[in-house]
Amino acid sequence: MCGIVGYIGGQQAAPLLLEGLTRLEHRGYDSAGLAVLGPSGVRVAKQAGRVRDLGDGLPKRFTGKIGIGHTRWATHGPATDANAHPHTDESGRVAVVHNGIIDNAAALRLELADAGVELVSDTDTEVLAHLVARSTADTLEARTAEALARVEGTYGIAVAHADFPDRIVVARNGSPLIIGVGKNEMHVASDLAALVRYTTTVAHLADGEMATVTADGFSTYLVRTIDGAGHVGLAATDRRASEVEIDPSSYDAGEHDSFMHKEMLEQPARAEAVLRGRLDEKFGTGHLGGLNLDARELRAIKRVKILGCGSAYYVGQMGAALIEELARIPADAEAASEFRYRNPIIEPDTLYVAVSQSGETIDTLLAVQEIQRKGGFVIGLVNVVGSAIAREVDGGIYLHAGPEVAVASTKALTNMFLAFAMLAVQLGRVRDLSISDGRRLIAGLNAIPGQVAEVLGREEELAEVARELAGAENLFFVGRVRGFPVAREGAQKFKEISYRHAEAYQTSELKHGPLALISPEVPTVAIVPDDELVERNVAALHEIAARGGPLTVVTHAGVDLGDLERTARRIDVPRSERELDPILLTIPLQVLAYHAALSLGHDIDKPRNLAKSVTVE
Ligand code: F6R
């Protein structure tokens, strides 16, 4: 959430910063700004709106070879020009960009106002600029550290100061900060996406770490001491830059009209990547070395608790069902954002699983920390290598989905499901899941990438259904048992990019209330796999049809919808093993959401009010 860039070197900073901000825009896109440090001091350009608007309106001769920039997702104060970053002090000599939240901003704002400082924005970040400016320490590093010692909360920050025109100071606590090493120039960013075009030699700051970045290198340190007067002592750390293996083109949409489209179509290849080397066909089990648990420890697990947010939570529900079914261990998923506020009981023989594409979602990260504080064992299903959650967990499974840029998650979710399936088989095979069932499921998993491709190959047919659904203001997505998390994920995807009200319900619960809303204007997308509930599901569809509700049924070939065949639209997905059905039922729902949003003319990758990676509570 929010993006930071910085540059120092021999080139003009502004065009490079704008390019970097464009690459980070999925992290927040309600306002953007730049500060450059040139011969006449710090110059700032910032405004509400998109990065391209900022670029179009940039003053002529916005020159300087040092600069910082920011793209914002509003937390404190609405998206206005004044609230956009960078923020400056009263003299205009200090400029700060910040990701994260300063929890004690209100108290600090009062204190600064009492001291006669005129605050010009509603943001928490502005206090940092004033605190840095008011420090009398000798160096920008110490001034920044003194300011940070006053704040509670999370931050990734970059600071430029007219009195120290050869450096940018950066710091991290909870929000990522990466330094990119170029040739006689250095870059700073909150995400690799902004750097990979310039360099793949990078250093990730650790929480609590600060760095000085000059044109010819960087040095890192930690705050060691703070005396009673708030003065700090700094101690050097020896963080080095290393090469990251990344294909810069994975951050380009290529011939696709959006990243979401590109990422949906990448699913077959990315699904193969998550399965590769992890399926043991001979013994019919998963081979997940990163769990850091041997067979005896896996056997000792009595319960599984899965934590994630949004779509990751819904896939977590699919995962919990898989684990209960295949390993016969009680398993459930819970929204990570709620978990730690109910003083959860942490049990020694429970396996906790944190699921996150970004590995940065603060609610999931804080849930991991709460579990670990109480002595629990947590593994992560994480996509971004080296992210905060990936670093904190006790073991895990990387998702190998590649960079995901679209706010609406697709390929990472598919790989989360596949990772859960492998985990469930492995947990099952140290219990009562037979070798033949294990082999059956491994064969089923091997077939999934091709089957996903088969569904995606029917995009045109699905687009037609989507355009029709897009005409409705309100929709239901319904499913039962294995199908219910699928319905939840389908409704989530639909609402977040089409802005239609899509509500998920258990099919079995319709008659306990929501049936009152069914009418010819309210279509229902029903998930009806060919499983043990198919007859009951079809009966419920008749209840919807009897009230004039239009039906789209996501099902398997051969499922008999009876006289509904005449009126309902059906979308048949390939048959898999029953336990693995949810993922193939999910894929067409992504395509429906995408084409509904496209037909409504929405910005698919940047849905309103949202941003990729929710790093604030
Ligand atoms: C929906 C979506 C979000 C994320 C959620 C968790 O399409 O992308 O609901 O799933 O914000 O994000 P991660 O997986 O990064 O923790």
Side-chain angles (χ1 to χ4, degrees), residues 311-544:
S311 290
Y313 161 44
Y314 304 140
V315 183
Q317 289 188 313
M318 298 180 199
L322 272 165
I323 290 167
E324 279 205 352
E325 212 168 342
L326 300 181
R328 305 306 295 157
I329 311 173
D332 74 316
E334 181 173 344
S337 46
E338 291 287 289
F339 176 72
R340 74 184 188 292
Y341 288 107
R342 57 175 188 76
N343 192 18
I345 298 164
I346 303 300
E347 292 163 312
D349 42 14
T350 295
L351 175 68
Y352 294 89
V353 186
V355 200
S356 175
Q357 185 286 127
S358 60
E360 269 179 48
T361 300
I362 193 79
D363 287 313
T364 311
L365 177 63
L366 293 173
V368 168
Q369 291 170 348
E370 174 74 5
I371 296 163
Q372 289 180 329
R373 249 191 305 276
K374 294 181 172 178
F377 184 89
V378 200
I379 62 163
L381 266 59
V382 175
N383 192 37
V384 177
V385 175
S387 56
I389 295 172
R391 282 203 309 261
E392 297 222 2
V393 288
D394 304 300
I397 309 170
Y398 273 125
L399 299 173
H400 300 308
E404 195 178 65
V405 175
V407 167
S409 184
T410 52
K411 59 179 180 168
L413 299 181
T414 296
N415 285 11
M416 284 173 190
F417 179 87
L418 297 174
F420 272 123
M422 291 186 282
L423 176 64
V425 172
Q426 196 163 332
L427 285 168
R429 288 288 292 122
V430 295
R431 291 178 175 73
D432 298 332
L433 188 72
S434 68
I435 189 161
S436 59
D437 270 334
R439 285 182 180 153
R440 170 179 70 78
L441 289 155
I442 296 299
L445 281 168
N446 264 325
I448 295 273
Q451 292 175 313
V452 169
E454 208 178 313
V455 179
L456 292 168
R458 291 184 5 227
E459 187 177 349
E460 258 325 298
E461 169 198 334
L462 293 167
E464 219 172 282
V465 182
R467 286 190 282 269
E468 217 167 275
L469 292 175
E473 289 292 335
N474 301 287
L475 304 92
F476 278 109
F477 282 70
V478 299
R480 291 190 75 164
V481 189
R482 287 187 208 110
F484 179 53
V486 176
R488 292 189 90 181
E489 168 53 15
Q492 160 97 344
K493 209 98 302 166
F494 206 89
K495 74 180 86 162
E496 74 181 317
I497 57 174
S498 78
Y499 315 150
R500 297 307 198 203
H501 174 216
E503 193 171 342
Y505 245 92
Q506 289 101 331
T507 318
S508 53
E509 283 288 299
L510 283 176
K511 54 189 175 300
H512 298 293
L515 217 44
L517 293 173
I518 295 293
S519 77
E521 283 73 49
V522 181
T524 298
V525 178
I527 314 302
V528 185
D530 190 5
D531 62 11
E532 53 282 6
L533 287 167
V534 66
E535 277 159 29
R536 288 183 188 285
N537 271 325
V538 172
L541 299 191
H542 278 92
E543 290 166 12
I544 295 170

Side-chain angles (χ1 to χ4, degrees), residues 468 545 549-553 561-570:
E468 217 167 275
L551 280 165
T552 298
V553 188
L561 301 181
D563 52 7
L564 296 178
E565 295 285 355
R566 278 182 287 115
T567 49
R569 275 185 179 277
R570 63 184 294 162

Side-chain angles (χ1 to χ4, degrees), residues 19 56 84 188 223 252 274 390 421 423 491 505 511 514 525:
E19 153 73 13
D56 291 347
V188 162
V223 175
D252 282 321
V274 73
L423 176 64
Y505 245 92
K511 54 189 175 300
V525 178

